[in-house]
């Protein structure tokens, strides 16, 4: 998904990342969810939509806090 976003293929990137998110949700994998949600926020930023990115980044931060992921939280807050 991230590679598609770098190529400017934002719809494809979001589709792939949402597929990954569904897998992590089905497995109740909080770490995976945090990673994918943060990446969805990054894709929204890349396509120039900070309003869509902000809630995704904040959701990723909230999950990161639950997991004690300091580095992930810092990255999302920087973005």
């Amino acid at each position: 998904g991230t590679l598609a976003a770098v190529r400017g293929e934002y719809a494809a990137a979001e589709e792939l990342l949402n597929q990954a998110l569904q897998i992590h949700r089905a497995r109740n994998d909080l770490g995976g969810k945090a990673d994918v949600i943060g990446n969805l926020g990054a894709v929204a930023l890349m396509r120039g939509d900070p309003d869509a990115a902000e809630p995704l980044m904040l959701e990723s931060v909230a999950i990161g806090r639950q997991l004690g992921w300091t580095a992930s939280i810092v990255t999302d807050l920087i973005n």
Side-chain angles (χ1 to χ4, degrees):
T2 305
L3 289 174
V6 170
R7 291 183 186 120
E9 301 166 0
Y10 304 122
E14 289 173 335
E15 181 180 331
L16 291 167
L17 289 169
N18 278 311
Q19 288 175 18
L21 183 57
Q22 289 175 4
I23 292 167
H24 290 301
R25 284 184 174 148
R27 294 180 177 174
N28 198 29
D29 176 5
L30 286 179
K33 285 172 34 176
D35 286 340
V36 174
I37 291 168
N39 283 329
L40 282 166
V43 171
L45 284 176
M46 292 172 77
R47 65 179 166 78
D49 190 351
D51 292 333
E54 183 176 23
L56 292 165
M57 295 293 190
L58 292 175
E59 183 177 357
S60 181
V61 166
I63 295 170
R65 284 188 175 136
Q66 289 176 358
L67 297 170
W69 284 6
T70 307
S72 176
I73 293 167
V74 170
T75 300
D76 286 337
L77 290 174
I78 289 169
N79 289 326

